[in-house]
Amino acid sequence: MRKKMVINGQTFHASEDKTLLENLEQQGVQTEFQCRDGHCGACQCQLISGSVDYLIEPLAYVRKDHILTCCSKAKSDLELAIPEAKLPLKLTG
């Protein structure tokens, strides 16, 4: 099942069988990361609404109301704030 994922006001869809980082990459969203297993915390972003499940418990410090995209999956529809993200251009037509 796919979940709706809103990032900086732009809507994407997240597959439950992939991490949020993998979903972002698949949608063409460029965001910071240094690992894929919760060690560094570089992919930390603000969780505005929704919930996630962690595949593994992160070793990096995660601030309140934040998540790591590299080791989490969408449990519900999500809204994330990722200020440094480079979103793909929206095409009209």
Side-chain angles (χ1 to χ4, degrees), residues 16-81:
E16 290 179 329
D17 64 335
K18 295 181 179 172
T19 66
L20 293 176
L21 178 59
E22 291 168 336
N23 277 292
L24 292 170
E25 291 173 328
Q26 184 176 13
Q27 298 291 324
V29 177
Q30 296 176 21
T31 187
E32 180 66 32
F33 73 96
Q34 298 296 321
C35 73
R36 291 184 179 268
D37 54 12
H39 282 93
C40 72
C43 66
Q44 189 166 169
C45 66
Q46 183 181 10
L47 177 64
I48 296 170
S49 67
S51 60
V52 300
D53 279 330
Y54 280 104
L55 302 173
I56 55 172
E57 194 63 33
L59 294 177
Y61 171 75
V62 182
R63 294 179 293 209
K64 183 179 183 203
D65 299 325
H66 284 67
I67 61 165
L68 300 182
T69 62
C70 73
C71 58
S72 62
K73 291 185 177 184
K75 189 174 177 180
S76 68
D77 291 344
L78 301 172
E79 184 173 356
L80 305 174

